[in-house]
Amino acid sequence: MPRRTFFSYHYVPDVWRAWNVRNSWVVRDTEEISRGFFDSSVFEASKKESDDALKKFLRNGLENTSVTCILAGTDTWNRRWVRYEIARSIIKGNGLLTVYIHGVQNAAKQTSVKGADPLAQMGLYKTERGIFLAEWKGGKWIPYSDYTLAIPEKDLRFAAPKSTSVVQLSKHYMSYDFTSQNGRKDIGGWIETAAGLVGR
């Protein structure tokens, strides 16, 4: 059964790179195509949309997916809506992985600078009220503001944090480099690994 995967990325600078990565399964050998993934990506919505409408749009994009693949360029790590997609993926129980795409050429045949891992910029911490999301912002960890409810420990697909110290999400998920690690051939396997790590 092909894996339904949601692709999260910084639209303006990386859409060309993301398009190439998302469609890389097309060039696989015939026997590998059945293990490819369906693209359930959504783009950043119009700036005319309200925050609530955009959040609903992104939640709808995540429906019926089992893995979220963050295609990380230079500034993906600090994009608000990428962080929201990550947060909703945690809540939903999707597998997660980061794939660095800075080495993929854009339409002008240019590569870019490697950015931070978006999964290292978000984390979880525990209080007496439950488990909450945190984000790295302004040089420090702060409570995540776009989802402020506690996450039930039973809904997590990995060991829950034990204290108020933030545990980065990157501690629980894998990251890969599309260019240097032969992503065109292997991204399907990376996605399957991400799904397996959360039992999806």
Side-chain angles (χ1 to χ4, degrees):
M1 184 77 178
R3 182 72 56 188
R4 289 194 176 273
T5 301
F6 180 95
F7 291 91
S8 178
Y9 54 92
H10 185 186
Y11 183 73
V12 174
D14 292 326
V15 63
W16 184 272
R17 296 182 178 97
W19 181 86
N20 278 283
V21 172
R22 286 160 45 218
N23 291 288
S24 64
W25 68 274
V26 174
V27 301
R28 293 180 182 175
D29 293 336
T30 303
E31 67 271 14
E32 294 181 321
I33 290 176
S34 64
R35 293 190 284 112
F37 50 85
F38 290 109
D39 175 18
S40 297
S41 178
V42 295
F43 300 107
E44 290 184 9
S46 166
K47 299 304 181 184
K48 297 176 183 178
E49 293 281 0
S50 69
D51 284 357
D52 286 342
L54 181 50
K55 287 178 181 180
K56 182 178 180 181
F57 176 70
L58 296 174
R59 290 195 302 272
N60 288 342
L62 280 160
E63 284 183 8
N64 301 316
T65 65
S66 57
V67 175
T68 300
C69 179
I70 300 122
L71 301 177
T74 303
D75 296 313
T76 313
W77 65 274
N78 67 0
R79 302 301 296 173
R80 178 184 179 186
W81 299 116
V82 169
R83 290 187 176 190
Y84 186 73
E85 291 160 352
I86 292 170
R88 296 305 310 195
S89 297
I90 292 292
I91 295 161
K92 186 176 179 295
N94 270 18
L96 276 157
L97 71 156
T98 296
V99 176
Y100 294 103
I101 61 169
H102 62 286
V104 178
Q105 292 182 343
N106 63 12
K109 306 295 185 185
Q110 299 169 327
T111 58
S112 62
V113 177
K114 184 177 183 179
D117 183 349
L119 292 176
Q121 312 307 308
M122 294 190 72
L124 293 169
Y125 64 100
K126 185 175 184 178
T127 74
E128 58 198 16
R129 296 180 294 112
I131 296 166
F132 294 89
L133 284 157
E135 62 179 327
W136 184 257
K137 200 169 187 179
K140 62 183 178 179
W141 287 108
I142 62 171
Y144 180 63
S145 60
D146 280 314
Y147 187 86
T148 58
L149 300 177
I151 301 173
E153 185 170 338
K154 65 179 177 60
D155 290 349
L156 294 176
R157 302 296 178 115
F158 47 79
K162 303 299 183 186
S163 72
T164 55
S165 296
V166 174
V167 178
Q168 294 166 295
L169 296 180
S170 57
K171 302 290 186 184
H172 300 289
Y173 300 106
M174 305 288 289
S175 65
Y176 306 89
D177 187 299
F178 188 82
T179 303
S180 68
Q181 292 182 268
N182 200 15
R184 187 164 295 279
K185 178 178 182 294
D186 293 334
I187 191 170
W190 300 343
I191 286 170
E192 288 300 319
T193 296
L197 288 173
V198 297
R200 297 298 297 265

